[in-house]
């Protein structure tokens, strides 16, 4: 529908939704393909924020398949964009992903630092995702 209507941003966001669905069911290759396609769409319309958001989706898939260093690169890039935009909610998503990547890389100090930074943001706005981040922190060795 978005393609037919020429609504490129909507098309890209739909692709990211498909990527999330594929990731949740273990379709990691398909999820990465959707992330790449979404990133191409967002790059084509020069939408910096959505390119960063696609980086978070890509990072989530990469973390899920154990490619933590690759995930870290995507999340770091996204984090800078979200900070430039003053988007604290999305910043917390990137920080959480970075924390997960560092956990996977066996760097508990960096994992805790980033997860605690995400938690600080979420607690400051009484976000219900605080429990998820607290659970991630509890699993850091």
């Amino acid at each position: 529908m978005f393609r037919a209507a020429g609504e490129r941003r909507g098309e890209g966001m739909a692709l990211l939704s498909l990527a999330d669905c594929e990731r949740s069911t273990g379709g990691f290759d398909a999820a990465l393909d959707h992330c790449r396609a979404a990133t191409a769409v967002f790059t084509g319309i020069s939408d910096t924020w959505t390119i960063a958001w696609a980086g978070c989706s890509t990072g989530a898939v990469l973390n899920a398949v154990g490619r933590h260093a690759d995930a870290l690169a995507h999340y770091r890039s996204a984090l800078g964009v979200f900070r430039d935009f003053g988007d604290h909610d999305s910043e917390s998503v990137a920080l959480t992903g970075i924390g997960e990547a560092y956990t996977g890389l066996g760097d508990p100090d960096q994992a805790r630092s980033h997860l605690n930074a995400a938690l600080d943001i979420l607690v400051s706005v009484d976000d219900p995702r605080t429990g998820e981040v607290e659970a991630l922190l509890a699993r850091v060795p």
Side-chain angles (χ1 to χ4, degrees), residues 17-140:
S17 293
L18 290 171
D20 287 342
C21 289
E22 289 287 355
R23 178 176 52 90
S24 71
T25 60
F28 301 117
D29 290 336
L32 283 174
D33 288 344
H34 291 310
C35 288
R36 287 185 196 107
T39 300
V41 167
F42 299 141
T43 300
I45 59 172
S46 301
D47 190 329
T48 305
W49 186 92
T50 51
I51 293 168
W53 190 250
C56 286
S57 292
T58 304
V61 176
L62 293 170
N63 266 340
V65 297
R67 292 177 52 191
H68 303 295
D70 294 333
L72 188 58
H74 284 276
Y75 281 120
R76 281 185 176 154
S77 178
L79 180 63
V81 170
F82 298 144
R83 285 182 171 160
D84 287 346
F85 274 83
D87 181 353
H88 301 297
D89 183 66
S90 298
E91 180 181 350
S92 72
V93 172
L95 287 165
T96 300
I98 290 170
E100 290 178 292
Y102 275 122
T103 299
L105 290 169
D107 190 337
D109 292 337
Q110 284 292 327
R112 279 189 209 92
S113 174
H114 287 85
L115 291 170
N116 278 318
L119 189 59
D120 288 346
I121 292 169
L122 296 174
V123 167
S124 75
V125 294
D126 197 29
D127 191 294
R129 293 173 293 175
T130 58
E132 295 169 31
V133 176
E134 288 169 337
L136 291 170
L137 270 165
R139 289 193 294 267
V140 176

Side-chain angles (χ1 to χ4, degrees), residues 7-23:
E7 175 51 51
R8 301 288 289 160
R9 187 171 190 277
E11 176 186 351
M13 295 304 278
L15 287 164
L16 291 182
S17 293
L18 290 171
D20 287 342
C21 289
E22 289 287 355
R23 178 176 52 90

